[in-house]
PDB file of all heavy atoms in Angstrom:
ATOM      1  N   THR A  39     -11.616  18.037  12.197  1.00  0.00           N
ATOM      2  CA  THR A  39     -10.884  17.518  11.041  1.00  0.00           C
ATOM      3  C   THR A  39     -11.077  16.025  10.848  1.00  0.00           C
ATOM      4  O   THR A  39     -11.250  15.290  11.825  1.00  0.00           O
ATOM      5  CB  THR A  39      -9.377  17.802  11.215  1.00  0.00           C
ATOM      6  OG1 THR A  39      -8.647  17.257  10.102  1.00  0.00           O
ATOM      7  CG2 THR A  39      -8.836  17.163  12.485  1.00  0.00           C
ATOM      8  N   LYS A  50      -1.233  -1.751   7.213  1.00  0.00           N
ATOM      9  CA  LYS A  50      -1.087  -2.414   8.517  1.00  0.00           C
ATOM     10  C   LYS A  50      -2.443  -2.624   9.189  1.00  0.00           C
ATOM     11  O   LYS A  50      -2.683  -3.661   9.819  1.00  0.00           O
ATOM     12  CB  LYS A  50      -0.158  -1.598   9.416  1.00  0.00           C
ATOM     13  CG  LYS A  50       1.298  -1.666   8.990  1.00  0.00           C
ATOM     14  CD  LYS A  50       2.165  -0.767   9.859  1.00  0.00           C
ATOM     15  CE  LYS A  50       3.610  -0.760   9.379  1.00  0.00           C
ATOM     16  NZ  LYS A  50       4.447   0.191  10.139  1.00  0.00           N
ATOM     17  N   SER A  74     -18.229 -16.670  27.453  1.00  0.00           N
ATOM     18  CA  SER A  74     -18.292 -15.205  27.401  1.00  0.00           C
ATOM     19  C   SER A  74     -19.711 -14.684  27.606  1.00  0.00           C
ATOM     20  O   SER A  74     -19.897 -13.538  28.005  1.00  0.00           O
ATOM     21  CB  SER A  74     -17.774 -14.701  26.050  1.00  0.00           C
ATOM     22  OG  SER A  74     -18.659 -15.083  24.998  1.00  0.00           O
ATOM     23  N   LYS A 108      -2.425  -0.730  17.280  1.00  0.00           N
ATOM     24  CA  LYS A 108      -2.484  -1.676  18.389  1.00  0.00           C
ATOM     25  C   LYS A 108      -3.948  -1.837  18.822  1.00  0.00           C
ATOM     26  O   LYS A 108      -4.621  -0.849  19.125  1.00  0.00           O
ATOM     27  CB  LYS A 108      -1.656  -1.174  19.572  1.00  0.00           C
ATOM     28  CG  LYS A 108      -0.150  -1.197  19.327  1.00  0.00           C
ATOM     29  CD  LYS A 108       0.412  -2.612  19.419  1.00  0.00           C
ATOM     30  CE  LYS A 108       1.928  -2.606  19.339  1.00  0.00           C
ATOM     31  NZ  LYS A 108       2.497  -3.970  19.490  1.00  0.00           N
ATOM     32  N   LYS A 130     -15.788  16.008   3.110  1.00  0.00           N
ATOM     33  CA  LYS A 130     -15.257  16.283   1.777  1.00  0.00           C
ATOM     34  C   LYS A 130     -15.938  17.495   1.141  1.00  0.00           C
ATOM     35  O   LYS A 130     -15.289  18.366   0.564  1.00  0.00           O
ATOM     36  CB  LYS A 130     -15.415  15.039   0.890  1.00  0.00           C
ATOM     37  CG  LYS A 130     -14.470  13.898   1.264  1.00  0.00           C
ATOM     38  CD  LYS A 130     -14.738  12.640   0.453  1.00  0.00           C
ATOM     39  CE  LYS A 130     -14.513  12.842  -1.019  1.00  0.00           C
ATOM     40  NZ  LYS A 130     -14.719  11.593  -1.788  1.00  0.00           N
ATOM     41  N   LEU A 154     -24.520  -3.096   0.038  1.00  0.00           N
ATOM     42  CA  LEU A 154     -24.109  -4.149   0.969  1.00  0.00           C
ATOM     43  C   LEU A 154     -24.790  -3.976   2.324  1.00  0.00           C
ATOM     44  O   LEU A 154     -25.207  -4.952   2.952  1.00  0.00           O
ATOM     45  CB  LEU A 154     -22.592  -4.146   1.133  1.00  0.00           C
ATOM     46  CG  LEU A 154     -21.989  -5.229   2.043  1.00  0.00           C
ATOM     47  CD1 LEU A 154     -22.407  -6.631   1.611  1.00  0.00           C
ATOM     48  CD2 LEU A 154     -20.467  -5.109   2.072  1.00  0.00           C
ATOM     49  N   GLU A 167     -40.685  -4.724   7.177  1.00  0.00           N
ATOM     50  CA  GLU A 167     -40.634  -5.916   8.031  1.00  0.00           C
ATOM     51  C   GLU A 167     -39.374  -5.939   8.909  1.00  0.00           C
ATOM     52  O   GLU A 167     -39.157  -6.868   9.669  1.00  0.00           O
ATOM     53  CB  GLU A 167     -40.665  -7.180   7.175  1.00  0.00           C
ATOM     54  CG  GLU A 167     -41.932  -7.323   6.353  1.00  0.00           C
ATOM     55  CD  GLU A 167     -41.879  -8.487   5.378  1.00  0.00           C
ATOM     56  OE1 GLU A 167     -40.828  -8.685   4.732  1.00  0.00           O
ATOM     57  OE2 GLU A 167     -42.889  -9.200   5.258  1.00  0.00           O
ATOM     58  N   MET A 171     -33.824  -1.271  16.471  1.00  0.00           N
ATOM     59  CA  MET A 171     -34.379  -1.218  17.827  1.00  0.00           C
ATOM     60  C   MET A 171     -33.325  -0.850  18.862  1.00  0.00           C
ATOM     61  O   MET A 171     -32.215  -1.374  18.842  1.00  0.00           O
ATOM     62  CB  MET A 171     -34.978  -2.568  18.202  1.00  0.00           C
ATOM     63  CG  MET A 171     -35.585  -2.597  19.601  1.00  0.00           C
ATOM     64  SD  MET A 171     -35.949  -4.262  20.210  1.00  0.00           S
ATOM     65  CE  MET A 171     -34.292  -4.869  20.575  1.00  0.00           C
ATOM     66  N   LYS A 220     -40.130  -9.185  10.983  1.00  0.00           N
ATOM     67  CA  LYS A 220     -39.432 -10.416  10.628  1.00  0.00           C
ATOM     68  C   LYS A 220     -37.966 -10.398  11.071  1.00  0.00           C
ATOM     69  O   LYS A 220     -37.356 -11.440  11.274  1.00  0.00           O
ATOM     70  CB  LYS A 220     -39.479 -10.615   9.099  1.00  0.00           C
ATOM     71  CG  LYS A 220     -40.876 -10.598   8.486  1.00  0.00           C
ATOM     72  CD  LYS A 220     -41.621 -11.877   8.735  1.00  0.00           C
ATOM     73  CE  LYS A 220     -42.953 -11.893   8.016  1.00  0.00           C
ATOM     74  NZ  LYS A 220     -42.829 -11.961   6.532  1.00  0.00           N
ATOM     75  N   ILE A 326      -9.916  -8.554  32.586  1.00  0.00           N
ATOM     76  CA  ILE A 326      -8.666  -8.820  31.872  1.00  0.00           C
ATOM     77  C   ILE A 326      -7.624  -7.788  32.282  1.00  0.00           C
ATOM     78  O   ILE A 326      -7.956  -6.653  32.648  1.00  0.00           O
ATOM     79  CB  ILE A 326      -8.831  -8.795  30.332  1.00  0.00           C
ATOM     80  CG1 ILE A 326      -9.413  -7.460  29.850  1.00  0.00           C
ATOM     81  CG2 ILE A 326      -9.639  -9.982  29.841  1.00  0.00           C
ATOM     82  CD1 ILE A 326      -9.397  -7.285  28.341  1.00  0.00           C
ATOM     83  N   VAL A 331      -1.254   0.535  25.885  1.00  0.00           N
ATOM     84  CA  VAL A 331      -0.900   0.991  24.545  1.00  0.00           C
ATOM     85  C   VAL A 331      -0.572   2.478  24.633  1.00  0.00           C
ATOM     86  O   VAL A 331      -1.365   3.266  25.160  1.00  0.00           O
ATOM     87  CB  VAL A 331      -2.079   0.744  23.576  1.00  0.00           C
ATOM     88  CG1 VAL A 331      -1.868   1.496  22.278  1.00  0.00           C
ATOM     89  CG2 VAL A 331      -2.244  -0.754  23.311  1.00  0.00           C
TER      90      VAL A 331
END
Side-chain angles (χ1 to χ4, degrees):
T39 178
K50 288 176 184 175
S74 67
K108 290 284 187 177
K130 288 175 63 177
L154 182 55
E167 298 173 318
M171 180 194 74
K220 305 284 185 68
I326 57 171
V331 167

